[in-house]
Amino acid sequence: MTIRVLIVDDQVMVREGFSVLLNAMDGIEVVGEAVDGREAIEQVTALRPDVVLMDIRMPRMNGLEATREIVAADTDAKVLVLTTFDLDEYVYQALRAGASGFLLKDASARQLADGVRVVAAGEALLAPSVTKRLIVEFSKISEARKLADPTGTGTLTERETEVLVLIAQGLSNGEIADRLVVAESTIKTHVSRILVKLGLRDRTQAAVYAYETRLVTPA
């Protein structure tokens, strides 16, 4: 099945460049472009893309606000944040708002395509070298408001807690299943239960949550 992509960026050269790169990849089709967050929301409604490549810093409505609205609308679109900087408070907030991951704008064509495929498949795109630095930098926010198990990690079973830790370390369901020597379907069930119990939207929010609550600390 072809993955439908919407590219959102206020720079025409960025949009055109990504469009050319992605359209050259098997199984990926760029179905539209938007110049800011407001137009992105309109295009998501009109085009029903699978993945939205979302810039953060844009006029009229930034990518953070747009991500929140797209996620709140409960569409099937997954948001993949694009940023020039690997330490950006807006990126951190976008992950908490429901973005499924992020990429740096200097990513290669292969990394871009792989990122789109990972997010479209429902996995979290968490580059450990960048994401861990983000969470270290902005975990001060959690510390300041004393975020201590707000929804109750104590409600998780021992195995669910173990799975949550491995999610935060960036492992896929298959890799977690291999690590714990269980079926991948079992891991999918654990992940679903973790999200429901903690009131989280997806694996990315689960990973951020694990770091924020100090269940996992960056290496």
Side-chain angles (χ1 to χ4, degrees):
M1 184 175 64
T2 299
I3 300 171
R4 296 164 53 82
V5 178
L6 172 68
I7 299 174
V8 186
D9 197 291
D10 60 333
Q11 297 182 35
V12 63
M13 291 184 65
V14 172
R15 296 197 308 272
E16 291 180 350
F18 284 152
S19 182
V20 169
L21 291 175
L22 289 175
N23 278 327
M25 297 293 177
D26 290 338
I28 297 177
E29 177 189 5
V30 176
V31 296
E33 299 177 5
V35 301
D36 57 40
R38 178 54 59 194
E39 187 176 357
I41 293 169
E42 295 169 355
Q43 293 283 57
V44 166
T45 300
L47 300 174
R48 314 299 294 181
D50 301 304
V51 176
V52 180
L53 288 181
M54 179 75 76
D55 188 24
I56 290 294
R57 300 179 181 184
M58 297 179 291
R60 199 158 69 125
M61 176 184 279
N62 65 38
L64 176 60
E65 295 172 291
T67 295
R68 283 179 178 149
E69 291 204 22
I70 290 170
V71 171
D74 198 26
T75 68
D76 292 329
K78 304 292 194 305
V79 178
L80 179 53
V81 172
L82 294 169
T83 180
T84 306
F85 309 101
D86 63 1
L87 278 177
D88 188 328
E89 179 178 1
Y90 290 115
V91 174
Y92 175 80
Q93 292 180 20
L95 291 175
R96 298 193 74 246
S100 294
F102 69 91
L103 280 175
L104 298 182
K105 285 187 176 179
D106 62 0
S108 68
R110 177 56 59 186
Q111 289 173 324
L112 182 62
D114 287 346
V116 167
R117 293 188 180 105
V118 166
V119 168
E123 297 283 352
L125 185 63
L126 298 172
S129 63
V130 180
T131 303
K132 288 183 180 180
R133 294 203 304 276
L134 272 170
I135 295 171
V136 167
E137 180 70 16
F138 297 106
S139 62
K140 299 171 187 175
I141 297 172
S142 303
E143 199 67 29
R145 59 176 186 248
K146 300 185 183 301
L147 179 62
D149 203 23
T151 51
T153 48
T155 65
L156 299 182
T157 66
E158 183 176 348
R159 177 46 61 91
E160 287 166 351
T161 301
E162 191 174 8
V163 170
L164 177 57
V165 169
L166 295 175
I167 289 173
Q169 293 174 354
L171 275 65
S172 67
N173 285 347
E175 291 169 333
I176 296 174
D178 290 341
R179 179 76 64 88
L180 300 182
V181 197
V182 297
E184 186 171 347
S185 59
T186 300
I187 298 303
K188 290 180 179 179
T189 299
H190 285 316
V191 173
S192 296
R193 288 175 178 168
I194 290 168
L195 298 181
V196 170
K197 287 183 177 181
L198 300 182
L200 304 172
R201 180 175 185 263
D202 57 23
R203 298 168 65 91
T204 306
Q205 288 193 331
V208 173
Y209 177 91
Y211 280 102
E212 284 187 333
T213 56
R214 306 294 182 176
L215 184 62
V216 177
T217 56

